[in-house]
Amino acid sequence: MRRYREGGSVPQRQVRIQLLPSSFDNQGDATSDQRLTCFLIDECVAVDAGSIALAATGVQREKVRDIIVTHPHMDHIASLPIFIDDLFPTLESPILVYATPEVIDLLERDIFNWNVYPRFSEVKNDFGPVMEYVPITVGEEFKAAHLTVTAVPVNHIVPTVGLVVSDGQSTVAFSSDTSETQEFWNIVNRAPSLEALLIEASFPDSMAKLAEVSRHFTPASLQRELQKLNHNGAEILAVHIKPAYRQTIIDELKALKIPSLGVMEPGRIYEF
Ligand SMILES: [Zn+2]
Ligand SMILES: [Zn+2]
């Protein structure tokens, strides 16, 4: 199902997803290393905001006003404050930050606390508020721009949600950071169809112990987990691959010989 747009016209009625780059080479070109997490959906809704202020294009900066935060780890929110700061004078409507109440509390306590950064939820520019939280309830559908989204708790060391996102035509699931879980698969399997699953594979198999205590997958634990997925046609893309072990993890993923499993490349636009 994957189509990589290399320029030119864009087929309509497909959801477009880009993992924004977070690393650049000596020429300033994006590299494959993923240090931060930010997916842009149809260039206007962000899932996490790790690299958003570093890598979003001018057009994307103009369009992104809805940001879903899966959990408050730094690699997922690092440049969220900077993104709002950059846009501050020009925002005619607030940046909407969708998150569970627990995650909103952590963002307010630890990031937007007037010490690390201003509490933008209490600040206005000439047009009005610059940032508003949209509390989400796990298991209940909500709208973010044109998308319908369901958040599901996953198994990570802080409150974290995976997401099932639909544009009305295509459905894509995001695991966020997690280890072995069940509720996520219940919701994913309940979706009428699934075009793509973006799932984490953080550590190589040799680091299974660390993966277990930090609640992440290795290729071996990912393989076991994928047996819970009922949608055979879905394209599966591994993300959140720790740069220090990238090649080893990719080799181990390839050795699983799962035909629908690939590795998502930062910067590419995937259409599902
Ligand atoms: Zn995390
Ligand atoms: Zn992470």
Side-chain angles (χ1 to χ4, degrees):
M1 267 309 274
R2 184 181 74 189
R3 291 167 192 84
Y4 167 39
R5 189 180 69 97
E6 289 174 316
S9 64
V10 180
Q12 290 304 300
R13 303 211 308 220
Q14 289 185 316
V15 70
R16 304 172 69 213
I17 302 182
Q18 182 183 25
L19 171 58
L20 287 189
S22 53
S23 299
F24 303 90
D25 65 17
N26 291 341
Q27 276 71 49
D29 295 325
T31 75
S32 300
D33 287 342
Q34 183 194 346
R35 296 194 163 78
L36 304 170
T37 293
C38 176
F39 300 98
L40 288 192
I41 306 177
D42 291 340
E43 292 212 291
C44 63
V45 176
V47 170
D48 290 325
S51 51
I52 192 164
L54 312 174
T57 64
V59 171
Q60 290 166 341
R61 275 170 213 276
E62 290 294 309
K63 291 172 82 172
V64 176
R65 295 295 178 267
D66 299 80
I67 300 176
I68 305 167
V69 175
T70 65
H71 69 298
H73 277 161
M74 189 58 90
D75 51 320
H76 298 253
I77 58 145
S79 72
L80 174 62
I82 313 297
F83 183 68
I84 299 168
D85 200 351
D86 280 350
L87 293 171
F88 188 91
T90 58
L91 282 172
E92 295 183 17
S93 60
I95 300 288
L96 301 178
V97 176
Y98 303 73
T100 59
E102 299 99 303
V103 171
I104 292 172
D105 286 349
L106 293 169
L107 291 173
E108 289 284 279
R109 189 191 75 182
D110 297 336
I111 304 294
F112 297 106
N113 56 12
W114 296 114
N115 291 316
V116 173
Y117 232 66
R119 178 157 284 159
F120 282 132
S121 58
E122 294 176 356
V123 173
K124 293 182 178 173
N125 66 8
D126 292 344
F127 302 100
V130 295
M131 171 186 174
E132 266 177 27
Y133 291 107
V134 182
I136 59 178
T137 305
V138 294
E140 281 183 19
E141 278 187 359
F142 63 94
K143 294 287 281 187
H146 62 301
L147 302 173
T148 304
V149 185
T150 306
V152 196
V154 289
N155 181 11
H156 197 35
I157 48 175
V158 292
T160 303
V161 291
L163 303 171
V164 178
V165 177
S166 172
D167 68 347
Q169 305 273 343
S170 298
T171 301
V172 178
F174 299 77
S175 74
S176 190
D177 292 6
T178 189
S179 50
E180 185 184 352
T181 184
Q182 187 54 54
E183 202 176 344
F184 177 70
W185 300 110
N186 295 345
I187 301 280
V188 167
N189 288 334
R190 212 175 292 157
S193 70
L194 186 75
E195 274 61 45
L197 166 67
L198 311 188
I199 190 159
E200 73 127 287
S202 297
F203 289 108
D205 289 334
S206 62
M207 300 179 76
K209 263 260 140 344
L210 179 60
E212 198 182 316
V213 295
S214 60
R215 310 266 180 92
H216 287 292
F217 286 131
T218 62
S221 60
L222 176 63
Q223 181 186 34
R224 288 193 295 275
E225 196 70 8
L226 287 176
Q227 287 163 12
K228 301 174 186 172
L229 174 67
N230 290 347
H231 293 285
N232 292 327
E235 177 165 0
I236 303 166
L237 292 171
V239 296
H240 205 272
I241 294 169
K242 296 273 182 197
Y245 318 109
R246 182 176 170 82
Q247 197 52 54
T248 306
I249 295 168
I250 289 174
D251 292 345
E252 290 174 354
L253 288 169
K254 278 191 186 142
L256 298 177
K257 298 201 186 313
I258 300 173
S260 52
L261 174 62
V263 173
M264 193 169 199
E265 289 192 28
R268 278 197 177 186
I269 294 171
Y270 294 75
E271 298 182 340
F272 302 106

